[in-house]
Amino acid sequence: MKPIDLFEETYGAVIVNKVRSGLTMLGIVIGIASVIAMVAIGQGAQGSIQSSIQSIGSNLIIIMPGASRSIGSTVSAGRGSAETLTPDDAAAIAALPNVAAVAQEVSGRYQVLSNGQNTNTTILGTTSAYPAVRNVQVDQGNFITDADVAVSNRVAVIGPTVLQDLFGSTTATATPAMALDATIRIKGVDFKVVGVTLSKGGSGFNNQDDMIYVPLSAAQHYLLGTSAYLTEVDVEASSEGAMAGVQAAITNLLLSRHNISDPTQADFNVLNQADIVAAASSVTNTFTMLLASIAGISLLVGGIGIMNMMLTTVTERTREIGLRKAIGAKKKDITLQFLSEAVMLTFTGGAAGIVLGWLAAFLVTYFSGTATSVSLGSVILAFGVSAAIGIIFGYYPARRAAGLSPIEALRYE
Amino acid sequence: MMRTIIECRNIRKTYRTGNEDTVVLKGISFLINEGEFVAIMGPSGSGKSTLMHILGALDTPTGGEYFLDGRNIATFTDDELADIRREKIGFVFQAFNLLPRATVLRNVSLPLVYAGVEKEKREKIAEAALDDSAFPKAFWRHHSNQLSGGMMQRVAIARALVNDPALILADEPTGNLDSKTGEMVLHTFQSLNASRGKTVVLITHEPYVAEHAGRIIHILDGTIVSDKKNDARRIARKTDDEAHETH
Ligand SMILES: Nc1ncnc2c1ncn2[C@@H]1O[C@H](COP(=O)(O)OP(=O)(O)O)[C@@H](O)[C@H]1O
Ligand SMILES: [Mg+2]
């Protein structure tokens, strides 16, 4: 039997029972569509988290105080909770080779008043290196200068979210010009707005749009009331290749400055972007796997539907099978005929499912704004899986058909 | 001397239903030479279809030996038997057994599909076979379930002819037809036998139909009661407006 004839037979048989074929296919369509959509949502989430981590800065190494803990818990709880990092530490780090820039940070959340409106946001005391190290750009005005830090000037640079919260209203969008030179009151102390940063998008993690930057020294004097400790030191390495060396050098330097001989007892954490990306990826990977396996179950149900229909078909066409055998069809011919019927159903269903899944992912992005990403890999995988389901679930019915004796089949009423 | 095409040596067939054995064929022996037209006649339930299935290599006997073209059928695998059926035998069944949703041409050329013949060549051979079985050209592209019984049987005969088999096995081919169309079918078999040299084995319970053969094997309860040359052979007429005649 030639492949073209096999295809013709198969097509004819599938098309004869349009409704039944269609309904059976629907199981596969839904299964494949949900796999495609779920994986797209998972990968989209992963992509957007990764890109928001990349936007924090390039070649960035972050040093935080706190006992050595797992990355996840340090990010949320360790911040500022321990008092081990000092401006002197930061200065010593800046002197290390391959360190391009060092920004010091202290932070806290305070109520901010201006223009008769108020908000509660993060106040970040930092130094002039911050925009370069953390990838922040000033839209209008200028960032905090070394001179501001030196003399504790009460100046502030605000993020676009803060700008809108303090100077805008529900009906009007605030422009940077409205804020420049205005006075805002943080924890009862007046600061003059000297700059507004450009929006970075992004949310969660540390949202750099919803922040007020003030000189490090001003934050320490007027807001925190302490000048000894930092909540974070950001270091930019001179190149990506130098990251590992710089990270090791910082660890050694701080261990010796803090008089700690056992590295496991370190009172600080040195993280690089790759660590953060890896931690976030493992979370989103788990999330993607979970979604994909839920979708996989619906695919399995679709496969069982295929098997059920094929078994019915074989029973209904017992006489036809007997006749085909009588006129010279071999076991292989009959097996192939029914197997290719199953594969045609799942493959067509798979193709429709890919289109539907793609559409679903598109609609999710369109209406909710959540990033989704349909990768070529998942499309190829979906095709492969749908063909495999046809073969796996079609095999038993096909073998059953091929195993019928021609006599029994011809006698069958 | 003619070549022997069918040789049955003491063929037995037993069916097991539940705990009981039913002996359907109780030792059948005969030879059929190439070019013969033989009728196997017997009442319903006498084992004719069972015998035909064995002759057609669709089934194997539980006792005795069956040689088709000098080859012992018991020594072949299922797939080899499929090849033998395709090359040597054309089947015509009482119930026609056409694929209902396929066209006439597709039905007739189906054996050639399994022989791996290409579509164009296949349809040429099928068209010739349809001509041989006197099937009108106007219906070639009709679906087989749109045809009358007589037309369906002619499609089935054409299908039995496409592989140019040496042996045609027909199980009650006129059983579902009225006498006129039955006559047509019998005429087709007679002319295939006379002018094309095909060996025809015709199974029937009707003496009248059997009388169209050159030899009649009479079976009763799974045994042969007589095996005689038919001296009063009926000749079926091609035209369906004239009565048959004997000579
Ligand atoms: N597969 C089978 N299982 C059990 N009994 C069968 C089977 N096939 C045929 N028989 C029995 O064998 C006998 C002969 O059947 P069959 O060869 O069809 O007779 P005929 O064609 O002469 O009418 C019948 O009694 C029938 O019930
Ligand atoms: Mg019968």
Side-chain angles (χ1 to χ4, degrees):
Chain A
M1 200 172 188
K2 294 189 188 306
I4 175 82
D5 293 319
L6 182 65
F7 179 81
E8 212 173 308
E9 286 286 339
T10 307
Y11 179 76
V14 168
I15 217 75
V16 153
N17 274 313
K18 284 191 198 69
V19 174
R20 186 161 67 177
S21 300
L23 287 174
T24 313
M25 239 184 261
L26 204 55
I28 299 294
V29 173
I30 291 168
I32 290 285
S34 38
V35 169
I36 291 279
M38 297 295 183
V39 170
I41 290 167
Q43 286 183 344
Q46 183 152 345
S48 70
I49 288 172
Q50 281 182 8
S51 74
S52 83
I53 291 168
Q54 296 303 341
S55 78
I56 295 170
S58 52
N59 302 333
L60 180 65
I61 296 168
I62 296 172
I63 303 133
M64 291 184 187
S68 182
R69 266 176 265 166
S70 74
I71 292 163
S73 68
T74 310
V75 167
S76 57
R79 226 183 198 305
S81 63
E83 298 186 327
T84 54
L85 281 178
T86 64
D88 289 345
D89 287 335
I93 291 166
L96 286 172
N98 291 325
V99 170
V102 174
Q104 305 174 33
E105 287 180 24
V106 291
S107 65
R109 281 191 84 86
Y110 300 105
Q111 205 67 24
V112 182
L113 283 155
S114 172
N115 202 25
Q117 301 188 59
N118 76 95
T119 184
N120 185 289
T121 189
T122 304
I123 314 300
L124 194 82
T126 189
T127 51
S128 62
Y130 185 90
V133 178
R134 294 299 299 266
N135 241 353
V136 170
Q137 280 169 332
V138 176
D139 184 8
Q140 286 193 20
N142 51 271
F143 202 75
I144 292 149
T145 62
D146 288 335
D148 291 329
V149 178
V151 299
S152 303
N153 268 339
R154 283 176 288 149
V155 293
V157 176
I158 63 176
T161 307
V162 177
L163 172 69
Q164 177 63 24
D165 288 349
L166 292 181
F167 296 93
S169 68
T170 47
T171 51
T173 309
T175 61
M178 295 162 73
L180 283 182
D181 291 333
T183 299
I184 58 174
R185 180 167 286 215
I186 307 168
K187 203 189 173 188
V189 182
D190 284 347
F191 283 76
K192 192 174 95 173
V193 177
V194 296
V196 177
T197 63
L198 215 54
S199 173
K200 293 187 74 176
S203 53
F205 263 104
N206 42 44
N207 182 357
Q208 287 166 300
D209 289 354
D210 189 10
M211 242 177 225
I212 297 174
Y213 305 94
V214 298
L216 178 74
S217 49
Q220 288 168 332
H221 294 156
Y222 300 111
L223 307 175
L224 301 166
T226 163
S227 61
Y229 300 107
L230 300 176
T231 47
E232 188 174 314
V233 176
D234 301 324
V235 177
E236 185 188 351
S238 58
S239 69
E240 203 183 327
M243 294 274 283
V246 171
Q247 197 176 353
I250 291 170
T251 307
N252 288 334
L253 176 75
L254 292 182
L255 284 173
S256 74
R257 285 181 61 86
H258 294 187
N259 294 318
I260 298 165
S261 53
D262 181 1
T264 61
Q265 298 297 315
D267 57 0
F268 58 89
N269 282 297
V270 182
L271 308 172
N272 66 38
Q273 265 167 310
D275 294 334
I276 302 171
V277 170
S281 293
S282 84
V283 173
T284 51
N285 270 340
T286 311
F287 172 67
T288 305
M289 286 302 293
L290 181 74
L291 290 181
S293 47
I294 292 169
I297 290 169
S298 73
L299 206 50
L300 184 74
V301 174
I304 293 169
I306 292 281
M307 185 143 152
N308 192 20
M309 157 164 178
M310 289 312 295
L311 284 173
T312 314
T313 304
V314 168
T315 308
E316 278 177 359
R317 287 158 66 191
T318 299
R319 273 181 83 84
E320 176 198 322
I321 295 162
L323 171 84
R324 287 177 187 273
K325 290 193 126 189
I327 63 174
K330 294 183 184 164
K331 274 201 172 75
K332 188 189 75 186
D333 296 320
I334 303 289
T335 310
L336 273 180
Q337 187 187 337
F338 284 92
L339 206 52
S340 64
E341 265 185 57
V343 172
M344 187 177 279
L345 286 174
T346 56
F347 212 75
T348 317
I354 287 168
V355 173
L356 195 71
W358 206 317
L359 199 71
F362 173 77
L363 290 178
V364 165
T365 306
Y366 187 82
F367 286 112
S368 77
T370 310
T372 58
S373 132
V374 177
S375 65
L376 183 67
S378 65
V379 170
I380 291 170
L381 187 76
F383 266 122
V385 165
S386 57
I389 283 180
I391 292 169
I392 291 165
F393 290 96
Y395 186 77
Y396 172 66
R399 288 303 295 180
R400 200 149 123 165
L404 287 171
S405 111
I407 295 306
E408 295 303 321
L410 281 171
R411 274 183 186 276
Y412 182 85
E413 297 300 333
Chain B
M1 203 37 214
M2 288 303 265
R3 229 160 54 87
T4 300
I5 188 163
I6 280 175
E7 181 175 358
C8 297
R9 288 189 197 159
N10 197 28
I11 284 186
R12 303 178 62 78
K13 182 74 185 180
T14 310
Y15 286 116
R16 193 172 185 95
T17 30
N19 280 335
E20 229 171 295
D21 281 351
T22 327
V23 186
V24 178
L25 299 177
K26 303 165 181 168
I28 301 272
S29 302
F30 59 81
L31 295 178
I32 294 177
N33 287 329
E34 237 173 17
E36 274 196 273
F37 191 143
V38 181
I40 296 176
M41 193 186 75
S44 185
S46 56
K48 306 182 297 296
S49 294
T50 303
L51 180 58
M52 188 200 88
H53 291 150
I54 290 170
L55 298 184
L58 288 166
D59 203 359
T60 46
T62 43
E65 283 169 318
Y66 172 53
F67 295 85
L68 179 66
D69 240 4
R71 292 184 291 187
N72 188 344
I73 282 310
T75 61
F76 296 100
T77 65
D78 285 353
D79 281 351
E80 285 167 337
L81 290 178
D83 279 334
I84 291 172
R85 288 194 294 269
R86 206 184 59 232
E87 287 161 15
K88 299 258 180 258
I89 304 165
F91 289 97
V92 180
F93 301 98
Q94 177 173 0
F96 321 133
N97 285 331
L98 302 178
L99 302 186
R101 292 182 193 87
T103 63
V104 166
L105 269 181
R106 178 83 186 164
N107 265 289
V108 175
S109 51
L110 196 59
L112 299 172
V113 168
Y114 292 113
V117 180
E118 271 176 24
K119 186 161 183 163
E120 238 171 81
K121 198 174 164 200
R122 213 158 63 197
E123 299 210 330
K124 277 212 179 69
I125 301 172
E127 286 165 10
L130 282 164
D131 279 338
D132 282 348
S133 68
F135 185 88
K137 191 171 181 169
F139 295 93
W140 282 358
R141 307 248 165 218
H142 277 59
H143 280 202
S144 69
N145 55 359
Q146 300 167 341
L147 304 174
S148 68
M151 298 267 263
M152 285 201 206
Q153 197 59 302
R154 272 179 267 178
V155 174
I157 293 170
R159 183 181 62 195
L161 294 176
V162 282
N163 280 324
D164 194 24
L167 175 63
I168 293 171
L169 289 176
D171 191 358
E172 310 258 15
T174 60
N176 283 357
L177 304 177
D178 60 55
S179 60
K180 265 188 196 168
T181 39
E183 190 82 6
M184 280 289 291
V185 164
L186 289 171
H187 170 81
T188 307
F189 285 131
Q190 282 187 330
S191 67
L192 285 171
N193 175 247
S195 54
R196 304 275 296 277
K198 306 276 181 210
T199 311
V200 178
V201 177
L202 175 70
I203 283 160
T204 181
H205 66 276
E206 290 178 87
Y208 170 79
V209 172
E211 279 159 20
H212 287 80
R215 172 182 163 196
I216 299 173
I217 299 174
H218 197 151
I219 69 171
L220 199 63
D221 284 338
T223 45
I224 295 179
V225 291
S226 75
D227 181 352
K228 287 192 290 230
K229 201 169 170 318
N230 178 19
D231 294 324
R233 187 172 183 188
R234 289 177 190 274
I235 301 297
R237 300 295 295 252
K238 185 179 181 161
T239 45
D240 44 7
D241 49 31
E242 279 192 54
H244 51 272
E245 60 175 43
T246 56
H247 78 161

